Amino acid sequence: MQRAHLEQLRRCLEEERAKTKTTLSDLRADLSQSLSASISDFSTYDNHPADVASETYERSKDLGLQKDQEHLLEQIESALERMEQGTYGWCVDCGRPIPEERLSALPYAA
C-alpha cells in the first residue's frame, strides 16, 4: 500500500475516532440520569401510559446506540494499533491482504 494512501486512511480513522468519542460522550450524558428519574417528570395520572413507554423505548434505543458506538471505537482503535504495528491492511483471520477498495470504504476493516 502506498504511503500517501495509508496516511489518508490514518487521518480518516482519527477523524472517525473523534466523531465516535463525541457521540459516545453525548449518549453517556443523556443516559447518566436513571430511567426512573427521567420518567418521574411524567405523572401517570395526567399523561397517557404510552408516554412512559415512549421514554422507556428511547432509553433502550440509546443504550443500543451506545453499545454500537463503543464497538465501533474498539474497531477504530484496533485499526490504528495495526497501523502502528505494520499489520494494517492484512486480514486478522486468514492473513491475506485486504483490498484497498475495501479499506477505503471501511478503514477499520479487520
Side-chain angles (χ1 to χ4, degrees):
M1 179 180 307
Q2 294 179 353
R3 185 106 182 122
H5 189 234
L6 186 63
E7 287 305 314
Q8 177 187 10
L9 291 171
R10 179 187 307 275
R11 283 190 303 275
C12 182
L13 284 166
E14 289 170 349
E15 289 172 11
E16 190 67 29
R17 177 175 55 184
K19 286 192 291 188
T20 303
K21 284 183 175 183
T22 299
T23 301
L24 263 174
S25 177
D26 293 346
L27 285 168
R28 287 178 179 146
D30 290 345
L31 293 169
S32 65
Q33 186 179 21
S34 71
L35 179 60
S36 60
S38 69
I39 62 174
S40 68
D41 296 339
F42 296 130
S43 166
T44 55
Y45 299 111
D46 295 352
N47 293 323
H48 193 277
D51 292 337
V52 175
S54 293
E55 183 66 23
T56 303
Y57 167 76
E58 289 299 323
R59 172 61 63 107
S60 173
K61 184 178 75 172
D62 286 347
L63 287 168
L65 290 171
Q66 178 182 349
K67 185 175 179 176
D68 288 346
Q69 291 298 302
E70 288 170 346
H71 180 68
L72 176 61
L73 185 59
E74 288 173 9
Q75 291 177 313
I76 293 168
E77 296 287 351
S78 178
L80 288 167
E81 186 177 311
R82 288 192 307 275
M83 279 184 174
E84 292 299 318
Q85 295 172 348
T87 59
Y88 180 78
W90 296 89
C91 179
V92 296
D93 291 329
C94 69
R96 288 186 268 164
I98 300 171
E100 287 190 31
E101 298 82 18
R102 171 97 170 124
L103 292 172
S104 293
L106 196 66
Y108 46 86

